[in-house]
Amino acid sequence: MELTTIKDFEQYALDHLGTLANSYYATPAVSGTTYNENITAYQNYKFRPRYLRDVRHVCTELDVQGHKTSLPIGFSPTAHHIFAHPLGEKASASSAEAENVIMIVSLMSDFPMEDIAKAAPNATLWQQFYILADEEVMLDLLRRAEQAGVKAIVLTVDQSSWRKHECYDNDDIKELFSKAKYGNFQKYIAKDSDFVTQFMKLMPWETNYASWDQVTWLKSQTRLPIIVKGLMTAEDAVLAIERKVDGILVSNHGGRHMDGLQGTLDALPAIVKAVDGKVDVYVDGGIRSGQDVFKALALGAKMVFVGRPILWGLAYDGAKGVSHVLDILKSELKYTMQLTGCTNISEITDDYVIRTESISKL
């Protein structure tokens, strides 16, 4: 069976990954409106192609946070890759290394960050963080990330509370989670204790407390770039700039934690305008094609990150499956660039897209 679209990979995962893993990866918040908004937002923009241009040579490379990447496409942090493939994040990192793209490693990875870095020593890895209840644990994790050679810290700030989804009460999915390793946290929890209970006490949703002062504190503790992930408003983007962050990742957690949010693509333009070029702005959520990538870049994103498609590729064929997903996205992006008249990423601007409502007024 030849898989030629991201939708093909999604269907393969649905058919082969198993109900439990699919339920965990795919489950949105409440009714799924945020999840759906992420996807449908891209359908609200159409292309404005420019023809009779020399597009024989198209380049998709760019510099991001001081490192060259082959594509404006990276891996969003997603937990428990081991549910999709036995090598989990090691396989995903191997693909990121082979394709020369950025991978944001989830703090909830099954393998410790050190093992993932060793599996892909030349990969550009960014490490996801949360504001943890225990500052000493957070600081130790930061030192470990530095020593492992990660290139940036991605602080997820949109989960100060947590709603337990009904799927987590299923006894079968509890069995699935018994395979989860939470590799980064093993050293902090006594072996004779209830691991899950102690682990949950470290998480930000246990205290319901997070503040911009903690962003400033984290920034003061490392020379690594700090990317804030989870902002959805221009007002918060301005506050992030005031705290001297190095980048903003527009994200709503893939629609997993709060219903009723706008799609990330719809939130992007206002944040780009507020940032005014002071730092890079990235976006994730709902990206299912190279055409979607182009639209996000046109609306001001420096690059995009994808989450679930990476897991679907991993389920299909490990690192090779992830690379296959990237190949499809790259091919679609280059094709779209040629048909719109762009030969490099810097040429992609909002001149090349128009919102559907604007078309109706012409």
Side-chain angles (χ1 to χ4, degrees), residues 12 26 31 54 75 132 162-163 173 194 202 214 243 253 310 313 346 350:
Y12 180 90
S31 63
D54 185 354
F75 301 177
L132 301 181
W162 183 66
R163 175 184 179 274
I173 207 164
D194 182 335
L202 289 171
Q214 290 166 304
R243 298 291 173 159
H253 226 100
I310 301 305
S346 64
D350 59 3

Side-chain angles (χ1 to χ4, degrees), residues 158-176:
D158 61 356
Q159 204 174 2
S160 57
S161 186
W162 183 66
R163 175 184 179 274
K164 186 176 182 181
H165 198 279
E166 51 266 24
C167 78
Y168 292 105
D169 287 325
N170 185 299
D171 288 338
D172 290 332
I173 207 164
K174 290 177 181 178
E175 181 180 349
L176 175 71

